[in-house]
Amino acid sequence: MILRTFGWSFGVTAVGLLLAMLYGGPTGLALVAVLAVLEISLSFDNAVVNAKVLDRMSPFWQKIFLTIGIAIAVFGMRLVFPLLIVGLTAQLGPIEAFDLALNDSDRYHDLMNDAYPTIAAFGGMFLMMLFLNFVFEERADKWLPWLERPLARIGRLDQLAVVVAGGSLSFVAWLAADDPGTVMIAGVLGMVTYILVNGLGELFSEASEPGEDDEAEEAGADGAEVTAREALQDAGRGRGGPSNLALATGKAGFFLFLYLEVLDASFSFDGVIGAFAISTDPIVIALGLGIGAMYIRSLTVFLVRKGTLHEYVYLEHGAHWAIGALAVCMLISIGHHVPEWITGGLGAGLIIAAFASSILRNRGEDGEPSEEASGEGDKELHSSKV
């Protein structure tokens, strides 16, 4: 199981470290290894959320995410994206931006820092919307009931997530940004992107619900098959992703795939910028972050195949709280630098705490499944069947 799931990651690690050794010697090897660890620590919560969404995708779209999605994540976001940002900022072509990265790393670093407020506003608001839609949704399982119950109660107000996110963006732009107009535009685009992809995913998932079998069979001719998931798996899931309905196929699968790519991009912003604190060489950064991204993808697959999120139910909660912490850190970093160890430490700490809480929930104080674990599960099943 381990070798089958992480085999490609092990292979990419070996090749990446070899290339780092040939390119930069022992120093390059050490920097790539550190960057890989940094990427994994910053994006572990991304793997948990990805697994929750991937579990709702058809096998066809899962394969697309694990093939084309990896290429986009490793080469697109970790190598091409920084070059595009620098090119747009300095009005340079991709080749010129790459030449600048190789021959004038200090100038390249400065241009990336200049673009960071825009990047952080977009990614921070996308993640903020994801977090708020999760905590404002009523669900059967509650990790922090003293906090999640009142949040779910006030979340009954329609579009409260948009109100809170928009107010936060306005405050950050007014307080911390040198160019508040640019930050506002980028943040609003992040919110719009989340709402659009989320809405499209729900729209086409509804179109694939049982009852439209004829259309589903026609869609299957294009390589997608419509399958309904047990209602229990969706009970309490809320709006943590674009859809909480049946397994996504066809257009619904495409928008779930698109959602995951935007989500990965939002997570990678922080890692790409933080990598410049370790190295300004784009080749070293791409190798290190690329290796880390491979492990995040493998970890996502592992969580899905092992059913870890169904067994340790609070992991999803911890991941979303970690996402909320990352979103806040990104917004704060528009005006003030936030050390990477704080961002990574918050995320890792919240997920570890959620994992420990899940173990205690499953075992109970006397080693037996707790009443909450069994009772609420029965309630979920009953309510979902109704």
Side-chain angles (χ1 to χ4, degrees), residues 185-200:
I185 292 173
V188 170
L189 287 176
M191 294 172 61
V192 169
T193 301
Y194 176 85
I195 294 170
L196 179 63
V197 178
N198 178 57
L200 289 172

Side-chain angles (χ1 to χ4, degrees), residues 303-321:
L303 293 174
V304 172
R305 290 177 176 173
K306 293 287 289 183
T308 304
L309 298 184
H310 299 301
E311 182 178 358
Y312 303 101
V313 295
Y314 295 143
L315 270 180
E316 183 186 12
H317 296 250
H320 279 87
W321 281 102

Side-chain angles (χ1 to χ4, degrees), residues 4-348:
R4 184 163 66 99
T5 304
F6 289 89
W8 278 101
S9 296
F10 295 152
V12 169
T13 300
V15 173
L17 293 178
L18 177 61
L19 291 175
M21 185 68 181
L22 295 174
Y23 178 76
T27 301
L29 177 65
L31 290 174
V32 167
V34 170
L35 286 169
V37 174
L38 173 68
E39 175 70 7
I40 294 171
S41 64
L42 288 176
S43 300
F44 185 83
D45 44 359
N46 188 16
V48 177
V49 177
N50 280 354
K52 200 68 177 179
V53 179
L54 192 67
D55 193 37
R56 304 205 301 274
M57 298 171 71
S58 68
F60 171 79
W61 281 106
Q62 288 183 359
K63 291 178 181 178
I64 293 295
F65 174 72
L66 297 173
T67 52
I68 298 175
I70 286 179
I72 295 174
V74 174
F75 298 105
M77 291 309 305
R78 273 71 180 181
L79 179 61
V80 177
F81 173 75
L83 295 175
L84 290 177
I85 291 297
V86 170
L88 291 173
T89 303
Q91 297 182 345
L92 300 174
I95 297 177
E96 294 172 302
F98 186 70
D99 181 69
L100 179 67
L102 292 177
N103 300 312
D104 191 355
S105 58
D106 291 336
R107 173 62 175 159
Y108 181 79
H109 186 194
D110 290 340
L111 289 172
M112 282 295 294
N113 282 334
D114 292 341
Y116 183 73
T118 303
I119 298 171
F122 179 92
M125 294 313 299
F126 184 91
L127 296 178
M128 180 67 74
M129 288 292 296
L130 173 61
F131 166 70
L132 292 175
N133 273 320
F134 181 85
V135 297
F136 286 151
E137 182 75 9
E138 181 65 45
R139 50 186 28 84
D141 294 312
K142 293 179 176 61
W143 177 39
L144 305 172
W146 56 273
L147 182 57
E148 293 178 358
R149 281 198 182 99
L151 287 175
R153 194 173 298 118
I154 65 174
R156 295 171 184 170
L157 177 62
D158 193 32
Q159 302 301 322
L160 181 61
V162 176
V163 174
V164 174
S168 302
L169 176 63
S170 301
F171 179 75
V172 169
W174 170 74
L175 185 65
D178 294 331
D179 187 1
T182 301
V183 171
M184 282 294 297
I185 292 173
V188 170
L189 287 176
M191 294 172 61
V192 169
T193 301
Y194 176 85
I195 294 170
L196 179 63
V197 178
N198 178 57
L200 289 172
E202 289 183 346
L203 174 64
F204 289 109
S205 289
E206 289 171 359
S208 299
E209 282 188 287
E212 297 187 13
D213 295 332
D214 294 337
E215 293 181 16
E217 291 176 2
E218 293 178 8
D222 297 327
E225 53 186 72
V226 175
T227 311
R229 181 152 314 264
E230 291 294 327
L232 177 58
Q233 296 179 1
D234 285 326
R237 181 173 290 161
R239 292 174 292 189
S243 172
N244 54 4
L245 300 171
L247 279 180
T249 61
K251 293 178 181 179
F254 169 76
F255 284 110
L256 278 176
F257 169 76
L258 182 61
Y259 171 84
L260 286 175
E261 291 306 313
V262 177
L263 179 63
D264 179 73
S266 300
F267 274 96
S268 68
F269 293 153
D270 198 57
V272 170
I273 300 299
F276 281 95
I278 299 173
S279 174
T280 57
D281 190 317
I283 303 299
V284 171
I285 291 175
L287 287 173
L289 298 187
I291 291 173
M294 284 295 300
Y295 278 98
I296 294 301
R297 282 299 198 278
S298 296
L299 183 59
T300 299
V301 176
F302 179 81
L303 293 174
V304 172
R305 290 177 176 173
K306 293 287 289 183
T308 304
L309 298 184
H310 299 301
E311 182 178 358
Y312 303 101
V313 295
Y314 295 143
L315 270 180
E316 183 186 12
H317 296 250
H320 279 87
W321 281 102
I323 287 173
L326 175 59
V328 171
C329 288
M330 291 182 74
L331 294 177
I332 293 175
S333 66
I334 292 175
H336 305 280
H337 175 66
V338 178
E340 284 70 33
W341 67 266
I342 292 180
T343 305
L346 279 173

